[in-house]
Amino acid sequence: MFRKLFRRDSESDAVHDLYASLVEQARQKVFYENHSVPDSLDGRFDMITLHMFLVLHRLKAEKETTETFSQKLFDLMFYDMDLSLREMGVGDVGVGKRVKAMLQGFYGRLAAYEEALQQGEGSLDGALERNLYGTTKADQKSVQYMREYLIRQIEHLKDQDIAKIMAGKITFHT
């Protein structure tokens, strides 16, 4: 009975490892110190969302294989958001409202980035300005850097084996 309760699930471990990697990348100081991303709750959420977009965009390329894994990754992100809000002292009622707003923002950002990729450079700049820099005014140099970063990461992730990604092993281009 105890063995069943405490059995480790390799897919769950991989989801956790992948999520930890993308959060670590999203928290790189360079974004906040050099490229105008607000070092705030909103700014950090937006950077995590951007990196989730990158990973989910890659996983979507092989949807038949990755659909369940992608859902687990999404679930973990919002479990982490819920937990983080509670650790910050947001009450039970407030957590539900904040997570709901985060979900709406998350879906909106994913749709905006996906659409912008289809439409080209100018559209991607606009999507970054509205979403990543929505709470601040970013200079064009920062927006350009983030656009190039996003495109560079998409290309870099295309070359990574989906089985490795689903094993929780991912690299981001530096």
Side-chain angles (χ1 to χ4, degrees):
M1 180 174 135
F2 286 113
R3 190 177 302 157
K4 186 175 183 179
L5 282 174
F6 297 109
R7 185 178 358 173
R8 294 185 62 99
D9 174 352
S10 62
E11 184 176 56
S12 293
D13 288 346
V15 168
H16 279 85
D17 290 347
L18 182 60
Y19 182 69
S21 293
L22 75 86
V23 168
E24 181 181 343
Q25 182 68 19
R27 289 188 175 165
Q28 296 294 311
K29 288 180 183 181
V30 67
F31 300 123
Y32 307 96
E33 293 176 356
N34 300 348
H35 301 294
S36 303
V37 175
D39 193 2
S40 64
L41 181 63
D42 289 336
R44 289 177 181 261
F45 171 75
D46 286 327
M47 283 305 294
I48 291 170
T49 297
L50 181 76
H51 286 85
M52 275 291 284
F53 166 75
L54 290 166
V55 172
L56 292 173
H57 183 78
R58 173 62 180 102
L59 292 171
K60 189 172 72 171
E62 300 186 42
K63 189 176 181 178
E64 312 78 42
T65 309
T66 64
E67 194 166 10
T68 301
F69 186 88
S70 295
Q71 183 63 50
K72 287 182 178 183
L73 184 62
F74 168 85
D75 292 345
L76 178 59
M77 177 184 174
F78 280 92
Y79 173 78
D80 182 48
M81 294 297 135
D82 181 283
L83 195 61
S84 294
L85 289 170
R86 290 177 193 281
E87 287 175 354
M88 291 173 21
V90 177
D92 287 341
V93 174
V95 168
K97 290 178 183 177
R98 296 282 297 267
V99 169
K100 183 177 179 180
M102 291 170 119
L103 271 167
Q104 290 172 336
F106 178 79
Y107 284 128
R109 284 159 177 78
L110 260 56
Y113 294 143
E114 195 65 53
E115 184 179 322
L117 280 177
Q118 304 303 317
Q119 294 178 355
E121 241 178 63
S123 186
L124 194 51
D125 285 358
L128 289 166
E129 287 171 352
R130 286 187 309 278
N131 296 292
L132 183 60
Y133 297 110
T135 61
T136 188
K137 180 71 177 149
D139 59 277
Q140 279 309 115
K141 186 177 175 184
S142 292
V143 174
Q144 179 183 353
Y145 173 85
M146 290 308 298
R147 174 180 27 87
E148 291 169 358
Y149 173 83
L150 185 72
I151 292 167
R152 190 171 58 247
Q153 295 304 340
I154 288 170
E155 292 303 315
H156 181 71
L157 291 172
K158 274 184 194 176
D159 294 335
Q160 291 183 50
D161 180 24
I162 203 70
K164 285 185 179 180
I165 294 172
M166 290 180 64
K169 295 171 181 21
I170 193 168
T171 63
F172 291 93
H173 192 274
T174 53

